[in-house]
Amino acid sequence: MEWDDFEDFVQFVVGESLSVDCIVTRNVQDFISSLIPVLTPEKFLKTINAANNSVT
């Protein structure tokens, strides 16, 4: 993979090694090459809230 930003690449590699479910960032466009789903903080909170509401 080709990444323009070293820090973004490090986040991706660490996330991949830990088998994370997603990466949360305000810079979604920097993770276009990511194989891990990428969410904005707002989208992440909505997803978590929806999951919590469906459990009850």
Side-chain angles (χ1 to χ4, degrees), residues 17-45:
S17 70
L18 295 174
S19 300
V20 299
D21 294 325
C22 67
I23 294 173
V24 179
T25 181
R26 288 191 179 101
N27 296 320
V28 175
Q29 68 277 0
D30 289 349
F31 288 85
I32 293 182
S33 297
S34 177
L35 300 175
I36 301 169
V38 180
L39 303 172
T40 63
E42 295 81 9
K43 178 70 175 175
F44 176 74
L45 291 174

